[in-house]
Amino acid sequence: LRVERGSSPLTVSAYAADLKDYAQFLEKRGVESLDDVDREVIVAYESDLFGRGYAASTVDRHVSVLKGFHRFLGEKARQVSAPRTRPDTIQLPKAPDRLPDVLSVAQVDAMLSRPLDEGPLALRNRAILEVLYGCGLRVSECTGLDLGDAILEEGYLHIL
């Protein structure tokens, strides 16, 4: 991960923890060789993760890590053959779409109707709130704005 993908130490650590969990699962199931891993084993691992109360996004990450691991072993290392049923053919669980938390119209009205404080910071903060609400931006979109993104003559913002 560090060499081929340039992954951060935190990513490497998270992958290592996921693979350690996978190894413990295989040991409990009596799987002695990675050659013996097939679709049934991986589906059982996925089921085990759900049974432990992991969210679909976490299960997705775990299974994705082990698929990459088996792919690496099969294609790059050549030390161990890929499982008979390639893990990368297994359908990953879809993480449910989450809607963002939003303020109600009444909450926004209450916030924007407060008297304006004095000073440049207060004016900047008010402008940020107006842009966030008026344009329906995410905070990350608003913080990514540069002065050149405001096309004042034509009355619009260029948002990425």
Side-chain angles (χ1 to χ4, degrees), residues 40-78:
E40 179 185 321
V41 171
I42 294 170
V43 169
Y45 178 63
E46 185 180 47
S47 178
D48 179 69
L49 292 171
F50 277 119
R52 289 189 263 161
Y54 287 115
S57 59
T58 303
V59 173
D60 181 34
R61 189 196 76 231
H62 276 263
V63 174
S64 180
V65 166
L66 74 95
K67 286 171 59 173
F69 173 67
H70 281 288
R71 192 169 30 255
F72 174 80
L73 290 177
E75 294 172 7
K76 303 281 184 186
R78 306 273 187 238

Side-chain angles (χ1 to χ4, degrees), residues 2-68:
R2 275 191 301 270
V3 172
E4 291 196 13
R5 293 189 190 172
S7 298
S8 74
L10 285 175
T11 299
V12 172
S13 175
Y15 273 54
D18 290 352
L19 288 173
K20 182 177 180 181
D21 182 72
Y22 179 53
Q24 290 169 344
F25 172 81
L26 294 176
E27 189 177 320
K28 278 191 265 181
R29 276 190 65 103
V31 177
E32 295 179 7
S33 168
L34 290 175
D35 286 332
D36 297 331
V37 174
D38 59 10
R39 178 178 167 71
E40 179 185 321
V41 171
I42 294 170
V43 169
Y45 178 63
E46 185 180 47
S47 178
D48 179 69
L49 292 171
F50 277 119
R52 289 189 263 161
Y54 287 115
S57 59
T58 303
V59 173
D60 181 34
R61 189 196 76 231
H62 276 263
V63 174
S64 180
V65 166
L66 74 95
K67 286 171 59 173

Side-chain angles (χ1 to χ4, degrees), residues 106-119:
Q107 289 171 315
V108 172
D109 282 341
M111 192 168 38
L112 294 178
S113 65
R114 288 184 51 209
L116 190 60
D117 293 336
E118 298 291 324

